[in-house]
Amino acid sequence: MTSTDTKMKKIGVYTSGGDAPGMNAAVRSVVRTAVTNGLEIMGIIQGYTGMIENKMLPLQMRDMANIIQRGGTILKTGRCPEFMKPEYRKKAADFLRAQGIEALVCIGGDGSFRGAQALATEHGIRVVGIAGTIDNDVYGTDDTIGFDTAVNTALSAIDKIRDTADSHDRIFIVEVMGRNSGFIASHVGVAGGAEEILTPENIIPVDKIVEKLKESRARGKTSSILITAEGQKPGRAYDLAEAIRKKSGLDAKVCILGHQQRGGSPTANDRILASRLGYAAVQALLDGKSNIMVGVQYGRLVEVALEDVISKTKEGDKHLIQLARALSV
Ligand code: ADP
Ligand code: F6P
């Protein structure tokens, strides 16, 4: 289908919220699909900040060379509290209209989709979302861009920690990212052979953890890895280590993996996902669609209403947490 079928001439693309490896591969896919279909495309810089400050630039085929393998986002990203206010969304919509931009591809997490949905509902600008966040906490898609890379980055750190944990017969608490969700923790925990996984959805009392560690030692285990998501409450990794020390006398070392999980070259899985979703997003706009997110379910491309994406919560991976526990005997 060409752009003349929908009379759409010009679209915009932006990345928003926390950056995620594979966002560049998604931008590349969006831009090349758009240009191939005769559309002009503007790259909006720094998410909603660029939209309200009119920071954007035209993107061409060749601008997309050599970015598929790069982490971060060439369009920059950001968190823009002003966009919560209707007057700033109006300012953004006015800028977009002045530039002749009729539709947008938003690459970000559920917060970014809330902004996109508001823009669409209040100002009639068509939007299609692509889930890009290392947290994987977006309803309606099994995978988000960046999650696979973040899990593998954390895993390679944990493999190294295992060596020293084993050499010194130590307990390690490794804190992974995930302010509000435990997807990274549960995946990394199973793949890294963790003894326990603590997530915002899986709060385990310290007494239980201590009991488990003592049992493990009694069974002959000499080292243990505990994974905690940063959102785990009460207490993050250092508090947990202190509580374990107080209750059991066991010394637990802490390693906070932090923002290294957000960077680095995207894995093949993330590049493929990003390429599929970028293509699908532009096709959806060309088909006249709006207020949807393109995602994957059971390996297939799907379109999900943005309303559902932002109002529903993706279920956590309880089964993975149970699996890690069952296998760490
Ligand atoms: P993510 O998109 O990764 O979930 P955030 O939650 O930080 O990241 O959201 C990114 C940006 O989206 C915010 O900084 C803000 O500009 C915009 N946003 C988030 N929630 C809303 C909302 N309810 N209404 C309008 N804009 C929003
Ligand atoms: O949403 C991605 C994420 O990396 C979360 O896992 C983390 O809690 C948060 O962003 C950190 O955000 P910032 O880099 O803005 O501190």
Side-chain angles (χ1 to χ4, degrees), residues 200-264:
E201 309 92 0
N202 183 51
I203 316 277
I204 309 173
V206 177
D207 286 340
K208 279 217 149 178
I209 297 170
V210 166
E211 200 182 305
K212 172 107 196 257
L213 290 171
K214 283 185 171 166
E215 277 171 18
S216 301
R217 299 240 143 186
R219 282 199 314 275
K221 268 201 167 188
T222 55
S223 65
S224 299
I225 306 273
L226 306 174
I227 304 289
T228 178
E230 65 177 311
Q232 211 271 339
K233 300 271 178 353
R236 294 183 38 185
Y238 283 107
D239 299 334
L240 183 59
E242 187 53 30
I244 291 174
R245 216 171 284 132
K246 272 196 181 140
K247 297 223 171 209
S248 66
L250 293 168
D251 186 31
K253 296 280 175 191
V254 170
C255 185
I256 296 178
L257 298 185
H259 284 78
Q260 65 172 309
Q261 294 160 97
R262 284 245 294 267

Short mmCIF file of all heavy atoms in Angstrom, two decimals, residues 200-264:
data_model
loop_
_atom_site.label_atom_id
_atom_site.label_comp_id
_atom_site.label_asym_id
_atom_site.label_seq_id
_atom_site.Cartn_x
_atom_site.Cartn_y
_atom_site.Cartn_z
N PRO A 200 8.91 -7.15 42.94
CA PRO A 200 7.81 -6.40 43.56
C PRO A 200 6.56 -7.26 43.72
O PRO A 200 5.75 -7.03 44.61
CB PRO A 200 7.55 -5.26 42.56
CG PRO A 200 8.84 -5.11 41.83
CD PRO A 200 9.45 -6.47 41.76
N GLU A 201 6.41 -8.28 42.84
CA GLU A 201 5.23 -9.15 42.95
C GLU A 201 5.49 -10.35 43.84
O GLU A 201 4.59 -11.10 44.14
CB GLU A 201 4.81 -9.68 41.57
CG GLU A 201 4.66 -8.63 40.46
CD GLU A 201 5.93 -8.41 39.65
OE1 GLU A 201 6.95 -9.07 39.94
OE2 GLU A 201 5.91 -7.58 38.73
N ASN A 202 6.74 -10.56 44.22
CA ASN A 202 7.08 -11.75 45.00
C ASN A 202 7.92 -11.34 46.22
O ASN A 202 9.13 -11.45 46.22
CB ASN A 202 7.87 -12.74 44.12
CG ASN A 202 8.19 -14.03 44.84
OD1 ASN A 202 7.30 -14.66 45.41
ND2 ASN A 202 9.45 -14.45 44.85
N ILE A 203 7.23 -10.83 47.20
CA ILE A 203 7.90 -10.36 48.42
C ILE A 203 8.12 -11.58 49.33
O ILE A 203 7.17 -12.29 49.65
CB ILE A 203 7.02 -9.33 49.18
CG1 ILE A 203 6.40 -8.31 48.22
CG2 ILE A 203 7.78 -8.71 50.34
CD1 ILE A 203 7.21 -7.16 47.82
N ILE A 204 9.36 -11.80 49.72
CA ILE A 204 9.65 -12.94 50.60
C ILE A 204 10.18 -12.39 51.93
O ILE A 204 11.15 -11.62 51.93
CB ILE A 204 10.70 -13.88 49.97
CG1 ILE A 204 10.30 -14.24 48.54
CG2 ILE A 204 10.88 -15.15 50.81
CD1 ILE A 204 11.36 -15.03 47.80
N PRO A 205 9.57 -12.79 53.05
CA PRO A 205 10.08 -12.29 54.34
C PRO A 205 11.53 -12.75 54.57
O PRO A 205 11.90 -13.85 54.17
CB PRO A 205 9.15 -12.94 55.37
CG PRO A 205 8.02 -13.52 54.60
CD PRO A 205 8.45 -13.69 53.19
N VAL A 206 12.31 -11.90 55.24
CA VAL A 206 13.73 -12.20 55.46
C VAL A 206 13.90 -13.53 56.20
O VAL A 206 14.80 -14.32 55.90
CB VAL A 206 14.41 -11.05 56.26
CG1 VAL A 206 15.86 -11.39 56.57
CG2 VAL A 206 14.34 -9.78 55.46
N ASP A 207 13.01 -13.79 57.17
CA ASP A 207 13.11 -15.06 57.92
C ASP A 207 13.12 -16.26 56.98
O ASP A 207 13.84 -17.23 57.19
CB ASP A 207 11.94 -15.18 58.90
CG ASP A 207 12.15 -14.25 60.09
OD1 ASP A 207 13.31 -13.85 60.32
OD2 ASP A 207 11.17 -13.92 60.77
N LYS A 208 12.27 -16.21 55.97
CA LYS A 208 12.18 -17.33 55.02
C LYS A 208 13.47 -17.47 54.22
O LYS A 208 13.93 -18.57 53.93
CB LYS A 208 11.00 -17.10 54.05
CG LYS A 208 9.67 -17.49 54.62
CD LYS A 208 8.79 -18.10 53.56
CE LYS A 208 7.88 -19.13 54.23
NZ LYS A 208 6.97 -19.76 53.37
N ILE A 209 14.02 -16.33 53.85
CA ILE A 209 15.26 -16.37 53.06
C ILE A 209 16.38 -16.96 53.92
O ILE A 209 17.14 -17.83 53.47
CB ILE A 209 15.64 -14.94 52.58
CG1 ILE A 209 14.56 -14.43 51.64
CG2 ILE A 209 16.99 -14.94 51.88
CD1 ILE A 209 14.69 -12.97 51.28
N VAL A 210 16.44 -16.52 55.15
CA VAL A 210 17.48 -17.02 56.06
C VAL A 210 17.33 -18.54 56.25
O VAL A 210 18.30 -19.29 56.17
CB VAL A 210 17.40 -16.27 57.42
CG1 VAL A 210 18.22 -16.98 58.48
CG2 VAL A 210 17.86 -14.84 57.24
N GLU A 211 16.09 -18.95 56.45
CA GLU A 211 15.80 -20.39 56.62
C GLU A 211 16.31 -21.17 55.41
O GLU A 211 16.99 -22.19 55.53
CB GLU A 211 14.28 -20.53 56.74
CG GLU A 211 13.77 -21.80 57.38
CD GLU A 211 12.23 -21.75 57.35
OE1 GLU A 211 11.64 -20.76 57.86
OE2 GLU A 211 11.66 -22.66 56.77
N LYS A 212 16.00 -20.65 54.22
CA LYS A 212 16.40 -21.33 52.98
C LYS A 212 17.92 -21.40 52.87
O LYS A 212 18.49 -22.43 52.50
CB LYS A 212 15.79 -20.56 51.80
CG LYS A 212 16.26 -21.01 50.44
CD LYS A 212 15.18 -21.78 49.69
CE LYS A 212 15.73 -22.57 48.53
NZ LYS A 212 15.49 -21.98 47.24
N LEU A 213 18.58 -20.29 53.20
CA LEU A 213 20.05 -20.27 53.10
C LEU A 213 20.68 -21.27 54.07
O LEU A 213 21.63 -21.98 53.74
CB LEU A 213 20.57 -18.86 53.39
CG LEU A 213 20.26 -17.81 52.31
CD1 LEU A 213 20.63 -16.41 52.80
CD2 LEU A 213 21.01 -18.12 51.01
N LYS A 214 20.11 -21.34 55.27
CA LYS A 214 20.65 -22.28 56.27
C LYS A 214 20.44 -23.72 55.81
O LYS A 214 21.34 -24.56 55.94
CB LYS A 214 19.97 -22.04 57.63
CG LYS A 214 20.52 -20.81 58.35
CD LYS A 214 19.91 -20.68 59.72
CE LYS A 214 20.60 -19.59 60.53
NZ LYS A 214 19.83 -19.23 61.73
N GLU A 215 19.26 -23.99 55.27
CA GLU A 215 18.98 -25.34 54.76
C GLU A 215 19.97 -25.72 53.65
O GLU A 215 20.49 -26.82 53.60
CB GLU A 215 17.55 -25.40 54.19
CG GLU A 215 16.48 -25.62 55.22
CD GLU A 215 15.09 -25.43 54.60
OE1 GLU A 215 14.97 -25.48 53.35
OE2 GLU A 215 14.16 -25.22 55.39
N SER A 216 20.19 -24.76 52.76
CA SER A 216 21.12 -25.01 51.65
C SER A 216 22.51 -25.35 52.17
O SER A 216 23.15 -26.28 51.70
CB SER A 216 21.26 -23.78 50.77
OG SER A 216 20.03 -23.41 50.27
N ARG A 217 22.96 -24.57 53.14
CA ARG A 217 24.29 -24.82 53.74
C ARG A 217 24.32 -26.21 54.37
O ARG A 217 25.29 -26.94 54.24
CB ARG A 217 24.61 -23.75 54.79
CG ARG A 217 24.64 -22.34 54.17
CD ARG A 217 25.96 -21.66 54.33
NE ARG A 217 26.22 -20.88 53.11
CZ ARG A 217 27.35 -20.25 52.87
NH1 ARG A 217 28.33 -20.29 53.71
NH2 ARG A 217 27.52 -19.58 51.74
N ALA A 218 23.22 -26.55 55.06
CA ALA A 218 23.17 -27.86 55.73
C ALA A 218 23.22 -28.99 54.70
O ALA A 218 23.75 -30.07 54.98
CB ALA A 218 21.89 -27.96 56.56
N ARG A 219 22.71 -28.70 53.50
CA ARG A 219 22.74 -29.73 52.44
C ARG A 219 24.07 -29.77 51.70
O ARG A 219 24.25 -30.51 50.77
CB ARG A 219 21.62 -29.47 51.43
CG ARG A 219 20.25 -29.91 51.89
CD ARG A 219 19.30 -30.05 50.70
NE ARG A 219 19.37 -28.91 49.79
CZ ARG A 219 18.68 -27.78 49.96
NH1 ARG A 219 17.86 -27.64 50.99
NH2 ARG A 219 18.81 -26.79 49.11
N GLY A 220 24.97 -28.88 52.08
CA GLY A 220 26.30 -28.91 51.49
C GLY A 220 26.57 -27.83 50.46
O GLY A 220 27.65 -27.77 49.87
N LYS A 221 25.61 -26.94 50.26
CA LYS A 221 25.86 -25.81 49.34
C LYS A 221 26.82 -24.84 49.99
O LYS A 221 26.65 -24.51 51.17
CB LYS A 221 24.55 -25.08 49.04
CG LYS A 221 23.83 -25.57 47.84
CD LYS A 221 22.88 -24.50 47.33
CE LYS A 221 22.41 -24.88 45.96
NZ LYS A 221 21.65 -23.83 45.32
N THR A 222 27.75 -24.35 49.23
CA THR A 222 28.72 -23.44 49.85
C THR A 222 28.56 -22.01 49.35
O THR A 222 29.09 -21.08 49.94
CB THR A 222 30.16 -23.92 49.56
OG1 THR A 222 30.31 -24.04 48.15
CG2 THR A 222 30.45 -25.24 50.25
N SER A 223 27.86 -21.84 48.24
CA SER A 223 27.65 -20.47 47.75
C SER A 223 26.22 -20.35 47.23
O SER A 223 25.62 -21.34 46.81
CB SER A 223 28.65 -20.13 46.65
OG SER A 223 28.43 -20.94 45.53
N SER A 224 25.70 -19.13 47.28
CA SER A 224 24.32 -18.90 46.82
C SER A 224 24.21 -17.56 46.14
O SER A 224 24.88 -16.59 46.54
CB SER A 224 23.36 -18.89 48.02
OG SER A 224 23.38 -20.10 48.69
N ILE A 225 23.33 -17.51 45.15
CA ILE A 225 23.03 -16.23 44.48
C ILE A 225 21.55 -15.93 44.73
O ILE A 225 20.68 -16.77 44.45
CB ILE A 225 23.25 -16.32 42.95
CG1 ILE A 225 24.66 -16.81 42.60
CG2 ILE A 225 22.91 -15.00 42.27
CD1 ILE A 225 25.73 -15.77 42.51
N LEU A 226 21.29 -14.75 45.24
CA LEU A 226 19.90 -14.28 45.37
C LEU A 226 19.74 -13.12 44.38
O LEU A 226 20.63 -12.27 44.29
CB LEU A 226 19.62 -13.75 46.78
CG LEU A 226 19.92 -14.68 47.96
CD1 LEU A 226 19.73 -13.93 49.27
CD2 LEU A 226 19.03 -15.91 47.92
N ILE A 227 18.64 -13.12 43.66
CA ILE A 227 18.39 -12.01 42.73
C ILE A 227 17.27 -11.15 43.29
O ILE A 227 16.22 -11.68 43.69
CB ILE A 227 17.95 -12.53 41.34
CG1 ILE A 227 18.96 -13.51 40.74
CG2 ILE A 227 17.67 -11.36 40.38
CD1 ILE A 227 20.25 -12.90 40.30
N THR A 228 17.48 -9.86 43.32
CA THR A 228 16.39 -8.98 43.72
C THR A 228 16.18 -7.87 42.68
O THR A 228 17.14 -7.32 42.15
CB THR A 228 16.64 -8.38 45.14
OG1 THR A 228 15.57 -7.51 45.45
CG2 THR A 228 17.94 -7.63 45.24
N ALA A 229 14.92 -7.62 42.39
CA ALA A 229 14.60 -6.50 41.49
C ALA A 229 14.70 -5.23 42.30
O ALA A 229 14.39 -5.23 43.50
CB ALA A 229 13.20 -6.67 40.93
N GLU A 230 15.10 -4.13 41.66
CA GLU A 230 15.32 -2.89 42.41
C GLU A 230 14.04 -2.39 43.08
O GLU A 230 14.11 -1.68 44.08
CB GLU A 230 15.89 -1.79 41.51
CG GLU A 230 14.94 -1.38 40.43
CD GLU A 230 15.47 -0.24 39.58
OE1 GLU A 230 15.94 0.74 40.15
OE2 GLU A 230 15.39 -0.35 38.35
N GLY A 231 12.90 -2.82 42.54
CA GLY A 231 11.64 -2.34 43.11
C GLY A 231 11.19 -3.13 44.31
O GLY A 231 10.18 -2.80 44.93
N GLN A 232 11.92 -4.18 44.63
CA GLN A 232 11.49 -5.03 45.73
C GLN A 232 11.44 -4.25 47.04
O GLN A 232 12.39 -3.59 47.42
CB GLN A 232 12.45 -6.22 45.85
CG GLN A 232 11.81 -7.49 46.37
CD GLN A 232 11.87 -7.58 47.87
OE1 GLN A 232 12.67 -6.93 48.50
NE2 GLN A 232 10.98 -8.36 48.43
N LYS A 233 10.31 -4.32 47.70
CA LYS A 233 10.13 -3.56 48.95
C LYS A 233 9.69 -4.52 50.05
O LYS A 233 9.00 -5.48 49.75
CB LYS A 233 9.06 -2.47 48.77
CG LYS A 233 9.37 -1.47 47.70
CD LYS A 233 10.16 -0.32 48.28
CE LYS A 233 10.58 0.74 47.30
NZ LYS A 233 10.37 0.61 45.92
N PRO A 234 9.96 -4.27 51.31
CA PRO A 234 10.79 -3.19 51.79
C PRO A 234 12.26 -3.56 51.70
O PRO A 234 12.63 -4.71 51.85
CB PRO A 234 10.37 -3.09 53.26
CG PRO A 234 9.95 -4.47 53.63
CD PRO A 234 9.42 -5.12 52.38
N GLY A 235 13.04 -2.57 51.46
CA GLY A 235 14.49 -2.77 51.47
C GLY A 235 15.03 -3.25 50.16
O GLY A 235 14.51 -4.17 49.55
N ARG A 236 16.09 -2.64 49.68
CA ARG A 236 16.73 -3.10 48.47
C ARG A 236 17.92 -3.96 48.86
O ARG A 236 18.01 -4.42 50.00
CB ARG A 236 17.08 -1.90 47.61
CG ARG A 236 15.80 -1.23 47.13
CD ARG A 236 16.01 -0.08 46.22
NE ARG A 236 17.10 -0.23 45.28
CZ ARG A 236 17.48 0.74 44.46
NH1 ARG A 236 16.84 1.88 44.47
NH2 ARG A 236 18.48 0.56 43.62
N ALA A 237 18.81 -4.22 47.94
CA ALA A 237 19.86 -5.22 48.17
C ALA A 237 20.65 -5.02 49.46
O ALA A 237 20.86 -5.96 50.22
CB ALA A 237 20.78 -5.25 46.97
N TYR A 238 21.09 -3.77 49.73
CA TYR A 238 21.92 -3.55 50.92
C TYR A 238 21.14 -3.81 52.22
O TYR A 238 21.66 -4.37 53.17
CB TYR A 238 22.51 -2.13 50.92
CG TYR A 238 23.68 -2.00 49.98
CD1 TYR A 238 23.55 -1.30 48.78
CD2 TYR A 238 24.91 -2.59 50.27
CE1 TYR A 238 24.61 -1.19 47.89
CE2 TYR A 238 25.98 -2.49 49.38
CZ TYR A 238 25.82 -1.79 48.20
OH TYR A 238 26.87 -1.69 47.33
N ASP A 239 19.86 -3.39 52.21
CA ASP A 239 19.03 -3.63 53.41
C ASP A 239 18.83 -5.12 53.62
O ASP A 239 18.83 -5.60 54.74
CB ASP A 239 17.66 -2.96 53.24
CG ASP A 239 17.79 -1.46 53.06
OD1 ASP A 239 18.79 -0.91 53.55
OD2 ASP A 239 16.92 -0.86 52.42
N LEU A 240 18.65 -5.82 52.52
CA LEU A 240 18.43 -7.27 52.60
C LEU A 240 19.67 -7.96 53.16
O LEU A 240 19.58 -8.83 54.04
CB LEU A 240 18.08 -7.80 51.20
CG LEU A 240 17.73 -9.28 51.09
CD1 LEU A 240 16.53 -9.62 51.96
CD2 LEU A 240 17.43 -9.64 49.63
N ALA A 241 20.83 -7.54 52.67
CA ALA A 241 22.09 -8.13 53.14
C ALA A 241 22.25 -7.89 54.64
O ALA A 241 22.63 -8.78 55.40
CB ALA A 241 23.27 -7.54 52.38
N GLU A 242 21.92 -6.69 55.06
CA GLU A 242 22.04 -6.33 56.48
C GLU A 242 21.08 -7.17 57.32
O GLU A 242 21.45 -7.70 58.38
CB GLU A 242 21.72 -4.83 56.63
CG GLU A 242 21.95 -4.23 57.99
CD GLU A 242 23.34 -4.50 58.57
OE1 GLU A 242 24.31 -4.61 57.79
OE2 GLU A 242 23.45 -4.62 59.80
N ALA A 243 19.86 -7.33 56.83
CA ALA A 243 18.86 -8.12 57.55
C ALA A 243 19.29 -9.58 57.66
O ALA A 243 19.15 -10.20 58.72
CB ALA A 243 17.50 -8.01 56.86
N ILE A 244 19.85 -10.12 56.59
CA ILE A 244 20.32 -11.51 56.61
C ILE A 244 21.46 -11.65 57.63
O ILE A 244 21.50 -12.59 58.42
CB ILE A 244 20.78 -11.95 55.19
CG1 ILE A 244 19.56 -12.07 54.26
CG2 ILE A 244 21.56 -13.27 55.24
CD1 ILE A 244 19.89 -12.35 52.81
N ARG A 245 22.35 -10.67 57.61
CA ARG A 245 23.50 -10.69 58.53
C ARG A 245 23.00 -10.68 59.99
O ARG A 245 23.44 -11.45 60.82
CB ARG A 245 24.37 -9.46 58.26
CG ARG A 245 25.86 -9.72 58.42
CD ARG A 245 26.67 -8.53 57.93
NE ARG A 245 26.72 -8.46 56.48
CZ ARG A 245 26.50 -7.36 55.76
NH1 ARG A 245 26.18 -6.22 56.34
NH2 ARG A 245 26.57 -7.39 54.44
N LYS A 246 22.06 -9.79 60.26
CA LYS A 246 21.54 -9.65 61.64
C LYS A 246 20.86 -10.93 62.10
O LYS A 246 21.00 -11.35 63.23
CB LYS A 246 20.53 -8.50 61.68
CG LYS A 246 21.20 -7.17 61.94
CD LYS A 246 20.18 -6.13 62.38
CE LYS A 246 20.86 -4.79 62.61
NZ LYS A 246 20.06 -3.68 62.13
N LYS A 247 20.09 -11.55 61.20
CA LYS A 247 19.27 -12.70 61.61
C LYS A 247 20.05 -14.00 61.63
O LYS A 247 19.63 -14.95 62.28
CB LYS A 247 18.07 -12.85 60.66
CG LYS A 247 17.14 -11.68 60.69
CD LYS A 247 15.70 -12.12 60.69
CE LYS A 247 14.82 -10.89 60.96
NZ LYS A 247 13.60 -11.17 61.62
N SER A 248 21.15 -14.06 60.85
CA SER A 248 21.79 -15.37 60.71
C SER A 248 23.29 -15.35 60.94
O SER A 248 23.91 -16.39 61.06
CB SER A 248 21.54 -15.89 59.30
OG SER A 248 22.21 -15.05 58.38
N GLY A 249 23.86 -14.15 60.92
CA GLY A 249 25.32 -14.07 61.01
C GLY A 249 26.00 -14.38 59.68
O GLY A 249 27.21 -14.28 59.56
N LEU A 250 25.18 -14.72 58.66
CA LEU A 250 25.77 -15.01 57.35
C LEU A 250 26.12 -13.71 56.64
O LEU A 250 25.33 -12.75 56.64
CB LEU A 250 24.78 -15.81 56.48
CG LEU A 250 24.45 -17.24 56.94
CD1 LEU A 250 23.26 -17.79 56.17
CD2 LEU A 250 25.68 -18.14 56.76
N ASP A 251 27.30 -13.70 56.01
CA ASP A 251 27.73 -12.50 55.31
C ASP A 251 27.26 -12.57 53.86
O ASP A 251 27.57 -13.53 53.16
CB ASP A 251 29.27 -12.43 55.39
CG ASP A 251 29.79 -11.13 54.80
OD1 ASP A 251 29.06 -10.12 54.90
OD2 ASP A 251 30.90 -11.14 54.25
N ALA A 252 26.50 -11.58 53.43
CA ALA A 252 26.03 -11.57 52.04
C ALA A 252 26.62 -10.35 51.33
O ALA A 252 26.45 -9.22 51.79
CB ALA A 252 24.51 -11.54 52.01
N LYS A 253 27.30 -10.60 50.24
CA LYS A 253 27.87 -9.49 49.45
C LYS A 253 26.79 -8.96 48.50
O LYS A 253 25.91 -9.72 48.06
CB LYS A 253 29.05 -9.99 48.61
CG LYS A 253 30.21 -10.48 49.44
CD LYS A 253 31.03 -9.32 49.95
CE LYS A 253 32.12 -9.80 50.90
NZ LYS A 253 32.78 -8.72 51.61
N VAL A 254 26.92 -7.69 48.18
CA VAL A 254 25.90 -7.05 47.32
C VAL A 254 26.52 -6.59 46.02
O VAL A 254 27.62 -6.04 46.00
CB VAL A 254 25.28 -5.84 48.05
CG1 VAL A 254 24.41 -5.02 47.11
CG2 VAL A 254 24.45 -6.31 49.23
N CYS A 255 25.81 -6.81 44.93
CA CYS A 255 26.24 -6.27 43.64
C CYS A 255 25.02 -5.67 42.93
O CYS A 255 24.06 -6.38 42.66
CB CYS A 255 26.87 -7.39 42.81
SG CYS A 255 27.54 -6.76 41.30
N ILE A 256 25.08 -4.38 42.68
CA ILE A 256 23.96 -3.71 42.00
C ILE A 256 24.35 -3.49 40.54
O ILE A 256 25.30 -2.77 40.25
CB ILE A 256 23.62 -2.38 42.71
CG1 ILE A 256 23.14 -2.72 44.14
CG2 ILE A 256 22.56 -1.59 41.95
CD1 ILE A 256 22.81 -1.55 45.02
N LEU A 257 23.63 -4.12 39.65
CA LEU A 257 24.07 -4.10 38.24
C LEU A 257 23.75 -2.77 37.55
O LEU A 257 24.48 -2.34 36.66
CB LEU A 257 23.48 -5.27 37.48
CG LEU A 257 23.92 -6.66 37.99
CD1 LEU A 257 23.37 -7.76 37.10
CD2 LEU A 257 25.44 -6.77 38.09
N GLY A 258 22.65 -2.15 37.92
CA GLY A 258 22.37 -0.78 37.47
C GLY A 258 22.27 -0.59 35.96
O GLY A 258 21.87 -1.49 35.22
N HIS A 259 22.70 0.60 35.53
CA HIS A 259 22.41 1.03 34.16
C HIS A 259 23.19 0.29 33.08
O HIS A 259 22.89 0.48 31.90
CB HIS A 259 22.63 2.54 34.03
CG HIS A 259 21.50 3.33 34.63
ND1 HIS A 259 21.39 3.52 35.99
CD2 HIS A 259 20.43 3.93 34.06
CE1 HIS A 259 20.29 4.23 36.24
NE2 HIS A 259 19.69 4.48 35.09
N GLN A 260 24.18 -0.52 33.45
CA GLN A 260 24.82 -1.29 32.37
C GLN A 260 23.78 -2.16 31.66
O GLN A 260 23.94 -2.50 30.48
CB GLN A 260 25.96 -2.16 32.92
CG GLN A 260 25.53 -3.26 33.86
CD GLN A 260 26.68 -4.20 34.20
OE1 GLN A 260 27.36 -4.70 33.33
NE2 GLN A 260 26.91 -4.40 35.48
N GLN A 261 22.69 -2.50 32.39
CA GLN A 261 21.64 -3.33 31.78
C GLN A 261 20.88 -2.59 30.67
O GLN A 261 20.17 -3.19 29.89
CB GLN A 261 20.63 -3.77 32.85
CG GLN A 261 21.22 -4.71 33.87
CD GLN A 261 20.41 -4.75 35.15
OE1 GLN A 261 19.59 -5.63 35.33
NE2 GLN A 261 20.62 -3.79 36.03
N ARG A 262 20.99 -1.27 30.65
CA ARG A 262 20.25 -0.50 29.64
C ARG A 262 21.06 -0.29 28.37
O ARG A 262 20.51 0.12 27.34
CB ARG A 262 19.84 0.85 30.23
CG ARG A 262 18.67 0.78 31.20
CD ARG A 262 17.47 1.52 30.66
NE ARG A 262 17.71 2.93 30.57
CZ ARG A 262 17.40 3.81 31.53
NH1 ARG A 262 16.82 3.40 32.64
NH2 ARG A 262 17.64 5.07 31.36
N GLY A 263 22.39 -0.54 28.46
CA GLY A 263 23.21 -0.22 27.30
C GLY A 263 23.68 -1.45 26.55
O GLY A 263 23.24 -2.57 26.81
N GLY A 264 24.56 -1.21 25.59
CA GLY A 264 25.17 -2.31 24.85
C GLY A 264 24.46 -2.63 23.56
O GLY A 264 23.33 -2.21 23.31
#
